[in-house]
């Protein structure tokens, strides 16, 4: 059977989609696909599956009522979403969409373990004519050089003869209820021109913002990885400006506001750059660049600046405390926020931890308050204790590291000891701050 026959005999049949990985990316995508297709959401985390089957999303990306509206009780062919940790439930799917995380290791090198493991899982159920689509952010070439060989080895099938591949990079913004997955234009690509059109049509059926069909998988991979690298470099620039202007006793935010009156000035702000995308993706591009013989100077320079900001913020706070005659050892400090960004519970690769650990290294006693973060998850990931209610006590210093909406409603000055320091990393507290980034 040739490619054309396979495409028309299987891919053009009733689509049944398996979403591999039901985290911040996979679940919103599965929910959206389930409005038009029969979908099986697969995840190895049985606790996660149990919660989803009850219609509860602890990531808060999908409202419980919206999730329950698409859930179904079995993996049959009718439209809707069935969540499972049983590989047998995805055997009769013909599209497999992989949405697992792509982290870095302690040396900032790409860790493709989740991709390898998920590819092995898909390989066990892969059939002739099936299409495997990867959404995880990777370096150019990773899909075809790293993932496809795993699929071939486990399945015994041949790439672009027996099965096909696609790539459509995720553009999820955790916690953003305005730019949801269906409202963000989707880049798509396929392993052949014909498969590219099929993959594009699949997404076009659910993405109201439209799609952009890239000519190759490598082009789509490269497009995604430079999106976050560009943002990382821009933030590094304003972080460096903040360091310069602080030495000159100039309000960085006032400078940016003034410069922003020009139509083509980009409105980036200084801050801690963490999370699973911006703080990670540039290392994927840098690693691949080095493999092909190019040392990326600007990309890595931006990463060095942004990775240093936790230490910088902590040192600025300590200087303010010293200038206010506050004894540093055993000083009581309240840190506001530990998630990687505002108004979401995601604590992956949060740089608030860098500030906290640096402050602890001075012998201070740091209390962490975050109404969004799951204390159990924070304890597991960072071995830190967090509170979800504001403590009723006095502190020598209070640091706002995450701009949760709840923090705009509190009078933190009332929690400070005499000469106490209030430091605003995010620049959202307008009055009575001792310092800001």
């Amino acid at each position: 059977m040739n490619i054309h026959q396979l495409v028309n005999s299987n891919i053009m049949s009733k689509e049944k989609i398996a979403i591999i990985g039901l985290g911040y990316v996979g679940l919103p995508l599965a929910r959206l696909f389930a409005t038009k297709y029969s979908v099986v959401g697969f995840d190895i985390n049985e606790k996660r599956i149990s919660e989803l089957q009850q219609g509860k999303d602890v990531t808060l990306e999908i409202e419980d009522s919206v999730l329950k509206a698409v859930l179904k009780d079995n993996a049959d062919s009718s439209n809707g979403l069935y969540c499972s940790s049983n590989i047998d439930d995805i055997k009769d799917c013909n599209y497999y969409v992989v949405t697992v995380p792509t982290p870095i290791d302690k040396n900032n090198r790409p860790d493709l373990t989740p991709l390898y493991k998920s590819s092995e899982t898909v390989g066990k159920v892969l059939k002739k004519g099936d299409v495997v689509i990867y959404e995880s952010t990777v370096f150019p070439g990773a899909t075809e050089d790293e993932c496809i060989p795993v699929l071939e080895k486990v399945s015994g099938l041949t790439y672009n003869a027996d099965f096909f591949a696609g790539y459509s990079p995720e553009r999820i913004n955790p916690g953003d209820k305005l730019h949801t997955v269906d409202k963000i234009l989707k880049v798509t690509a396929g392993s052949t021109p014909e498969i590219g059109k099929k993959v594009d049509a699949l997404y076009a059926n659910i993405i109201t913002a439209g799609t952009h069909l890239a000519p190759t998988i490598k082009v789509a991979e490269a497009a995604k990885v430079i999106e976050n690298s560009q943002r990382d470099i821009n933030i590094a620039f304003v972080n460096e400006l903040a360091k310069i202007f602080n030495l000159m006793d100039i309000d960085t935010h006032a400078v940016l506001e003034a410069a922003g009156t020009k139509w083509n000035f980009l409105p980036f702000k200084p801050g801690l750059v963490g999370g699973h995308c911006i703080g990670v993706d540039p290392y994927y591009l840098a690693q691949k660049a080095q493999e092909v013989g190019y040392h990326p100077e600007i990309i890595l320079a931006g990463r060095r600046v942004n990775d240093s900001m936790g230490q910088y913020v902590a040192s600025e706070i300590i200087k303010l405390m010293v200038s206010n005659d506050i004894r540093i050892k055993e000083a009581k400090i309240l840190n506001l926020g530990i998630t990687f960004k505002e108004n979401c519970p995601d604590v992956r690769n949060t740089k608030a931890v860098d500030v906290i650990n640096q402050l602890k290294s001075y012998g201070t006693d740091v209390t962490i308050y975050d109404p969004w973060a799951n204390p159990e998850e924070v304890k597991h990931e960072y071995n830190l204790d967090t509170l979800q209610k504001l403590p009723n006590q006095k502190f020598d210093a209070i640091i706002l590291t995450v701009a949760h909406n709840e923090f705009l409603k509190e009078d933190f000055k009332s929690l400070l000891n005499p000469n106490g320091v209030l430091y605003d990393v995010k620049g959202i507290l307008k009055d009575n701050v001792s310092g800001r980034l």
Side-chain angles (χ1 to χ4, degrees):
M1 185 178 291
N2 61 34
I3 291 179
H4 182 75
Q5 290 173 319
L6 280 172
V7 168
N8 285 284
S9 66
N10 196 11
I11 300 171
M12 290 301 291
S13 64
K14 179 67 175 178
E15 293 90 347
K16 186 170 184 181
I17 303 169
I19 305 295
I20 312 300
L22 295 175
Y24 284 86
V25 174
L27 181 64
L29 184 66
R31 197 286 307 176
L32 186 59
F33 267 128
T35 62
K36 298 288 184 69
Y37 301 100
S38 175
V39 179
V40 180
F42 177 86
D43 201 295
I44 59 174
N45 186 334
E46 294 184 359
K47 180 182 178 183
R48 173 72 166 158
I49 292 299
S50 177
E51 292 169 344
L52 293 176
Q53 287 175 337
Q54 298 172 47
K56 184 172 180 60
D57 173 27
V58 296
T59 70
L60 305 181
E61 288 300 302
I62 303 296
E63 294 181 6
D64 291 355
S65 59
V66 175
L67 177 58
K68 290 176 181 177
V70 297
L71 288 177
K72 58 182 181 180
D73 296 330
N74 55 67
D76 63 23
S77 59
S78 60
N79 291 358
L81 172 63
Y82 179 71
C83 300
S84 175
S85 58
N86 186 348
I87 192 172
D88 289 338
D89 288 326
I90 62 173
K91 283 184 174 180
D92 61 345
C93 294
N94 47 24
Y95 280 91
Y96 295 90
V97 184
V98 178
T99 62
V100 297
T102 43
I104 52 176
D105 64 19
K106 62 180 181 180
N107 298 313
N108 294 327
R109 294 175 63 88
D111 179 4
L112 298 180
T113 302
L115 273 180
Y116 292 144
K117 294 294 185 182
S118 59
S119 296
E120 289 174 0
T121 297
V122 173
K124 293 175 183 178
V125 296
L126 199 60
K127 308 173 297 301
K128 286 190 175 184
D130 287 350
V131 179
V132 185
I133 304 169
Y134 288 88
E135 287 219 356
S136 307
T137 304
V138 291
F139 51 78
T143 298
E144 292 170 294
D145 298 341
E146 302 291 338
C147 300
I148 296 303
V150 176
L151 293 173
E152 288 187 312
K153 180 179 179 180
V154 176
S155 69
L157 300 176
T158 301
Y159 178 49
N160 275 345
D162 299 322
F163 74 94
F164 310 93
Y167 186 76
S168 183
E170 60 89 5
R171 284 174 162 174
I172 291 290
N173 186 23
D176 190 337
K177 304 306 179 186
L178 178 62
H179 301 98
T180 52
V181 60
D182 56 315
K183 297 175 183 175
I184 303 173
L185 194 142
K186 205 83 163 68
V187 174
T188 62
S191 55
T192 70
E194 191 169 15
I195 294 301
K197 293 177 181 178
K198 304 304 179 188
V199 171
D200 190 72
L202 188 77
Y203 281 98
N205 202 24
I206 60 167
I207 305 295
T208 56
T211 59
H212 173 88
L213 177 58
T216 67
I217 287 176
K218 285 184 179 180
V219 168
E221 290 170 326
K224 169 57 182 178
V225 79
I226 71 166
E227 289 175 18
N228 287 330
S229 297
Q230 181 189 67
R231 185 169 178 80
D232 189 50
I233 292 167
N234 278 307
I235 297 173
F237 172 62
V238 293
N239 274 338
E240 191 161 64
L241 291 180
K243 291 181 178 182
I244 295 169
F245 293 146
N246 282 344
L247 290 171
M248 300 171 69
D249 197 25
I250 298 174
D251 186 334
T252 303
H253 291 271
V255 172
L256 294 174
E257 182 179 0
T261 59
K262 189 167 187 278
W263 78 92
N264 60 353
F265 186 84
L266 301 178
F268 288 92
K269 294 182 179 180
L272 303 172
V273 185
H276 63 294
C277 289
I278 299 177
V280 172
D281 296 352
Y283 286 120
Y284 273 74
L285 182 56
Q287 171 71 21
K288 191 62 179 179
Q290 290 168 339
E291 287 180 4
V292 298
Y294 181 82
H295 180 74
E297 297 184 28
I298 294 177
I299 295 170
L300 291 179
R303 277 285 77 229
R304 285 192 296 271
V305 170
N306 287 338
D307 279 345
S308 72
M309 292 308 293
Q311 182 176 357
Y312 173 78
V313 167
S315 66
E316 289 295 291
I317 293 163
I318 294 297
K319 289 176 185 177
L320 284 170
M321 293 173 68
V322 170
S323 67
N324 283 17
D325 296 322
I326 298 173
R327 184 175 183 269
I328 301 302
K329 189 172 178 59
E330 298 180 355
K332 303 291 185 182
I333 298 179
L334 175 63
N335 188 85
L336 302 173
I338 196 170
T339 60
F340 94 89
K341 64 173 292 186
E342 66 276 6
N343 306 321
C344 90
D346 194 348
V347 298
R348 292 174 296 171
N349 193 37
T350 172
K351 294 305 178 181
V353 169
D354 292 356
V355 178
I356 294 164
N357 288 337
Q358 190 68 23
L359 289 172
K360 282 175 170 281
S361 73
Y362 287 96
T364 64
D365 179 9
V366 181
T367 298
I368 306 167
Y369 163 54
D370 193 315
W372 285 82
N374 183 327
E376 292 182 4
E377 186 177 356
V378 176
K379 185 69 174 179
H380 178 264
E381 291 292 328
Y382 304 107
N383 196 29
L384 292 171
D385 295 316
T386 57
L387 303 175
Q388 290 189 309
K389 290 186 178 181
L390 186 64
N392 184 22
Q393 66 180 89
K394 295 289 186 177
F395 295 93
D396 298 304
I398 299 176
I399 305 101
L400 188 148
T401 56
V402 185
H404 292 318
N405 288 340
E406 287 84 349
F407 296 159
L408 294 172
K409 305 172 185 177
E410 299 287 349
D411 177 21
F412 296 111
K413 274 287 187 178
S414 64
L415 297 178
L416 284 174
N417 286 323
N419 297 326
V421 170
L422 177 59
Y423 192 91
D424 181 10
V425 174
K426 298 297 292 184
I428 64 169
L429 304 177
K430 301 302 182 184
D431 301 312
N432 299 319
V433 296
S434 307
R436 70 177 75 220
L437 186 58

